Amino acid sequence: MSRGANGLDVILFLVTYLMYAWQVSRFLRICLHGKPSEGKIFGGLLFGSHAVMAVFLEKQGIPYILYAVGGHGIFVGLTMTVFKGGRERKLLAAVTGVVMIQLIWNFSDSLLCCLGLILVRVLTGSPGAVSVGVWGERIISFMTCVAGTTAVSLLSKPLEPVFAGKRKSWYLYVTVPLSGIALMTDLVNWAASNGILVQGPGKYGLLENQLFSHGAICVFTGLAMAAAGFLVFGMDRIERQERAGEQYRSQVLYYEMMEEQYSRMECLRHDMKNHFIALDNLIQNRQWESASSYLGEMAESGGVEAGDEVTGSLVIDAVLYHKRRQAKDHGIRWQCEARLPADCPVKEIDLCIIVGNALDNGLEACQRLSEKGRSFIQVYLGTIKKCLFLEVRNSADLEEKPAGTRTWKDNPGEHGIGLGNIKAAAAEYNGAVSTDMKDGVFTVSVLLPLYPLGEGGGSERM
């Protein structure tokens, strides 16, 4: 606000910054899956801090660059403090909000100023008309705010999946260049506020030079917006492609294991006649221990054991078979109840990622326990109402500090790297992932809506 600001200017300031605070708080709440109360607290604190800064700037006359950097620092600090979640994720969301507001407002303000100057010249027909006037500035300020808040509102939903289920390093890789864009924009604004404008040849007057300056800012912010968009959405696409590649390799691995298992079973069936002859001879001679040992060797060579899971999916059967063998090799007690509904809409490739990573984390935690025999893994996979439910419980070291009892929406903590992959796969089905650590037992639960369940779906556990 200028020194000559009157009551109308104050009202305009309050209205525009209320709109700004409300919209950016909504943006952060959507992208960070925050609670409504968090959004309200953030919006109120942001509005209050900007009001205090405006008064301070008015009285002290601090340089624009310090005001801008201070505003960004408050925005980031409030985001990190008010909202729950991973620090890297919150940092990227805050920087994205800063850059988005900066660029959209700069572009809108410069474009509207150009149009306003041209309109004044056309309407007045006076070569000396080089300003839009006080009312013109007020109208441009309000329209800029409307354009900025509208753009933020429209971009909130498309940006929501960008912030979900990424590695910590990914958030940092995107945050650094976005911060550079914000700094460059601040420098351009600082230059414009100090009268460093783009000037044409000497034959052009003040009006033309103003148009050149505003036009240059439009070009700069337009290119910056394109660069920021390509960076955020491009990095998101690369991450998704890498994840798809990892899922594909995982699926190939499990198909290979499945093929090996069933190949061994085919060999066993092929030699079944000879095995029956040998067993019959042992039984006829009452060599019970030898017969039992022989049967055990047959099961081992065929890859079949008591308790083999039959879920309805050959791929998931192979996953469970492989993990159960790993548990047995490390002396880990295994208990599994698994059944998939008929015509399950969840892709096998996503089930592989979810089940495989959950079991990998459990096996890793159990292997770190020093005492064999006290470690265990319990698996349940089935349907509850119209949702596919996976629960993996495993013994864990009490000194470990996994994600705790909070869900992914509140805190994407990690119990092994695999939880990020689990959440990313579950997000494709609007699923929920939660973790819990209690009395030395770590539990990860995954709930995936089934739309619709096929007839004759899997067993239900109430």
Side-chain angles (χ1 to χ4, degrees):
M1 291 181 291
S2 67
R3 293 182 179 178
N6 56 25
L8 184 59
D9 294 313
V10 173
I11 294 174
L12 180 62
F13 169 83
L14 293 175
V15 171
T16 54
Y17 271 92
L18 276 173
M19 293 173 61
Y20 159 71
W22 169 68
Q23 201 54 254
V24 294
S25 64
R26 178 179 176 273
F27 163 76
L28 291 174
R29 183 170 57 83
I30 291 174
C31 292
L32 296 176
H33 295 149
K35 299 177 181 178
S37 58
E38 294 173 342
K40 293 177 182 178
I41 293 172
F42 175 87
L45 292 175
L46 183 67
F47 174 77
S49 63
H50 274 281
V52 172
M53 286 187 64
V55 173
F56 182 75
L57 176 63
E58 181 76 19
K59 292 183 177 180
Q60 303 298 326
I62 64 174
Y64 169 82
I65 191 70
L66 295 180
Y67 176 81
V69 173
H72 301 339
I74 290 174
F75 191 101
V76 174
L78 289 176
T79 303
M80 303 294 288
T81 304
V82 175
F83 290 95
K84 296 180 180 179
R87 289 174 296 179
E88 294 79 6
R89 183 184 180 190
K90 291 190 294 185
L91 180 61
L92 176 59
V95 172
T96 301
V98 168
V99 172
M100 187 165 51
I101 288 293
Q102 264 190 311
L103 296 179
I104 294 172
W105 281 37
N106 273 22
F107 182 85
S108 302
D109 183 69
S110 295
L111 180 61
L112 290 173
C113 283
C114 285
L115 296 177
L117 289 170
I118 294 173
L119 183 61
V120 169
R121 172 61 67 87
V122 171
L123 293 178
T124 62
S126 172
V130 294
S131 173
V132 295
V134 176
W135 275 100
E137 291 178 357
R138 290 169 179 167
I139 294 173
I140 289 174
S141 177
F142 182 74
M143 292 180 65
T144 297
C145 180
V146 171
T149 53
T150 301
V152 171
S153 177
L154 294 175
L155 289 172
S156 296
K157 285 295 183 180
L159 283 170
E160 179 185 5
V162 173
F163 295 95
K166 302 295 194 304
R167 297 186 295 266
K168 291 182 179 180
S169 58
W170 185 91
Y171 294 118
L172 295 177
Y173 290 152
V174 180
T175 299
V176 172
L178 278 183
S179 301
I181 292 176
L183 179 60
M184 288 296 297
T185 306
D186 284 336
L187 292 175
V188 170
N189 290 339
W190 171 75
S193 68
N194 282 273
I196 304 174
L197 306 174
V198 177
Q199 297 184 359
K203 64 179 181 179
Y204 293 110
L206 181 58
L207 174 65
E208 289 77 9
N209 287 330
Q210 287 188 82
L211 293 176
F212 290 147
S213 298
H214 288 303
I217 292 178
C218 283
V219 172
F220 167 77
T221 51
L223 293 175
M225 283 191 289
F230 281 124
L231 173 67
V232 173
F233 290 106
M235 289 290 289
D236 177 61
R237 182 175 181 180
I238 292 173
E239 173 74 9
R240 290 177 181 273
Q241 289 176 342
E242 290 180 353
R243 188 187 306 140
E246 292 175 359
Q247 292 177 341
Y248 176 76
R249 288 189 292 271
S250 177
Q251 186 186 40
V252 170
L253 173 63
Y254 289 131
Y255 269 119
E256 289 176 350
M257 289 191 301
M258 180 187 68
E259 184 179 0
E260 178 185 356
Q261 176 188 359
Y262 283 94
S263 174
R264 294 167 65 187
M265 293 178 65
E266 285 296 325
C267 292
L268 175 63
R269 283 194 288 267
H270 183 268
D271 295 332
M272 194 63 70
K273 180 179 180 180
N274 295 328
H275 290 312
F276 281 153
I277 294 173
L279 281 171
D280 182 65
N281 183 57
L282 292 173
I283 293 172
Q284 291 294 334
N285 289 282
R286 299 180 181 275
Q287 298 181 18
W288 311 119
E289 292 184 2
S290 298
S292 177
S293 177
Y294 193 91
L295 281 172
E297 292 177 1
M298 287 175 58
E300 182 69 23
S301 64
V304 292
E305 303 175 30
D308 271 354
E309 293 81 9
V310 181
T311 65
S313 167
L314 296 179
V315 177
I316 300 303
D317 287 348
V319 174
L320 294 174
Y321 165 79
H322 179 68
K323 302 306 178 185
R324 177 162 54 84
R325 290 297 302 270
Q326 286 184 315
K328 179 181 178 181
D329 292 342
H330 290 88
I332 302 170
R333 288 184 289 116
W334 174 275
Q335 181 180 347
C336 179
E337 179 185 352
R339 183 67 183 173
L340 289 171
D343 300 324
C344 179
V346 182
K347 297 179 182 178
E348 287 185 329
I349 187 172
D350 295 322
L351 283 175
C352 282
I353 296 300
I354 295 171
V355 176
N357 279 289
L359 293 177
D360 284 341
N361 287 342
L363 288 168
E364 182 182 352
C366 288
Q367 291 171 22
R368 285 196 292 265
L369 294 174
S370 57
E371 299 179 19
K372 288 188 176 181
R374 65 181 279 249
S375 58
F376 69 90
I377 293 180
Q378 296 176 344
V379 184
Y380 175 78
L381 177 63
T383 55
I384 296 180
K385 302 302 180 182
K386 292 187 177 182
C387 293
L388 181 66
F389 179 67
L390 169 70
E391 181 181 79
V392 177
R393 303 175 71 249
N394 60 268
S395 50
D397 193 336
L398 289 174
E399 296 181 357
E400 294 182 1
K401 294 182 180 180
T405 60
R406 290 167 291 193
T407 66
W408 278 103
K409 289 187 177 182
D410 292 332
N411 188 344
E414 294 188 0
H415 177 58
I417 298 174
L419 274 185
N421 295 333
I422 293 174
K423 185 196 173 184
E428 298 293 330
Y429 303 89
N430 295 321
V433 181
S434 66
T435 59
D436 179 62
M437 178 71 167
K438 185 177 181 181
D439 299 329
V441 177
F442 182 80
T443 304
V444 57
S445 304
V446 183
L447 195 66
L448 304 177
L450 302 175
Y451 302 120
L453 265 178
E455 294 183 3
S459 61
E460 291 193 6
R461 186 175 74 170
M462 301 301 295

